[in-house]
Amino acid sequence: MSLTRSAEATASRTADSRWLELLARAGFIGYGIVHLLFAWLALQIAFGTSSDDGDQSGALRTLSEQPLGKFLVIAVAVGLLAMAIWQALEAAVGHRAERGSERVTERLASAGRTIVYLYFAWTAFKVFKDAGSNSADQQEALTGKLMTSSGGRWLVGLAGLVLAAIGIGLVIYGAVKRFEKHLKTGEMSPKTRQLARRLGMAGYIAKGVAYGISGLLIIVAAVNYDPEKARGLDAALHTLREQSYGMFLLTLVALGIAAFGVYCFLQSRYRKV
């Protein structure tokens, strides 16, 4: 029991580290840049001029091709890793202001964010090392291997359901403005608070739509035994582009993702860390 308390105390001290806070806040800036580039790629898909993956890995490759790009990508990776550590500690010993089921829910959400930030940090590292080949092709190959294994189609379908559920959750999260509870709204001016609310709503809803469509495509791939359908966010954006009024809808999604990128910049200043 004493070892458990000692571990929790150590985790709490680490979570309260000033250096970890600074790195996490810097990570939000990097996360925002990635989403702005992601939005730019989505706009290119909307207008039929895209030549790269329309997802976060494509955004990181775009960043790596700029002056000082390799340095910026590894800086983003470090920031995202700090965000992952911060959220892992939140999942373990954080959210002490909440009670009961709400605390459990917040800790589970932090655990989910830990996985997301670790994935993006690893993607950034692969891009830095020139190992980030076409992510859509990689996902298709992985899905194909899973489908040929025993029970693989069920696993692929389950992954699609989880991703679709995440998409729905993000839409609801944004629509009810739940993200505001994690901001230091008391330190904001009325105009900044209103801006954060609008950017957060637009950003989370747009991301939710993109993830939801991606999840549905993976489910369809599992049902139809068609790995080519399971190509992640890039395929989701192209699928949206192919619908009636697709260019208009995808442009709205791209603008929403850009709004999330700007919202990340506000989080770097006002997020409760």
Side-chain angles (χ1 to χ4, degrees):
M1 194 63 134
S2 60
L3 285 175
T4 302
R5 283 197 293 268
S6 176
E8 288 183 351
T10 301
S12 296
R13 286 194 298 271
T14 304
D16 294 333
S17 165
R18 178 62 175 167
W19 281 107
L20 181 60
E21 177 184 345
L22 291 174
L23 283 174
R25 293 194 184 282
F28 276 116
I29 295 175
Y31 202 45
I33 291 171
V34 169
H35 278 82
L36 287 176
L37 291 170
F38 178 21
W40 172 243
L41 293 176
L43 277 177
Q44 289 183 301
I45 291 173
F47 291 96
T49 59
S50 176
S51 60
D52 207 340
D53 285 350
D55 58 11
Q56 290 91 339
S57 66
L60 285 164
R61 279 197 298 277
T62 299
L63 180 61
S64 72
E65 293 165 2
Q66 309 309 308
L68 298 177
K70 291 286 188 179
F71 169 78
L72 293 173
V73 167
I74 200 63
V76 168
V78 171
L80 289 169
L81 181 59
M83 291 169 70
I85 294 171
W86 160 51
Q87 283 300 301
L89 293 169
E90 287 287 283
V93 298
H95 304 292
R96 284 163 286 189
E98 287 82 11
R99 292 291 181 270
S101 60
E102 185 177 1
R103 186 178 187 183
V104 172
T105 300
E106 289 294 341
R107 285 189 167 184
L108 288 174
S110 288
R113 293 187 194 104
T114 300
I115 295 171
V116 170
Y117 295 150
L118 279 175
Y119 170 76
F120 288 135
W122 173 243
T123 300
F125 178 74
K126 288 198 299 179
V127 170
F128 176 77
K129 297 290 290 184
D130 288 324
S133 58
N134 188 294
S135 64
D137 289 342
Q138 289 178 342
Q139 181 166 341
E140 182 182 335
L142 176 61
T143 304
K145 287 181 181 179
L146 278 174
M147 285 187 178
T148 58
S149 64
S150 177
R153 289 175 69 183
W154 288 101
L155 288 175
V156 171
L158 179 60
L161 284 172
V162 170
L163 193 56
I166 290 173
I168 294 170
L170 286 171
V171 170
I172 296 172
Y173 190 82
V176 302
K177 302 182 285 292
R178 189 173 177 83
F179 54 86
E180 287 188 308
K181 69 179 293 184
H182 297 296
L183 299 175
K184 298 177 181 178
T185 54
E187 297 181 9
M188 295 178 177
S189 67
K191 287 185 178 180
T192 302
R193 192 180 306 122
Q194 185 180 54
L195 177 63
R197 180 180 296 122
R198 290 176 176 175
L199 290 172
M201 289 180 68
Y204 280 109
I205 290 172
K207 285 188 67 175
V209 169
Y211 279 105
I213 294 173
S214 182
L216 288 175
L217 289 176
I218 292 174
I219 294 170
V220 169
V223 172
N224 296 334
Y225 196 75
D226 186 2
E228 289 187 4
K229 298 291 186 182
R231 294 173 62 88
L233 287 173
D234 182 64
L237 298 180
H238 278 92
T239 299
L240 186 57
R241 173 67 175 82
E242 293 164 3
Q243 308 309 307
S244 300
Y245 304 104
M247 185 176 76
F248 173 72
L249 294 173
L250 184 51
T251 298
L252 286 180
V253 169
L255 292 175
I257 292 169
F260 185 84
V262 179
Y263 174 71
C264 287
F265 298 153
L266 286 175
Q267 284 194 94
S268 71
R269 169 64 178 86
Y270 294 107
R271 175 80 183 212
K272 295 175 182 176
V273 177

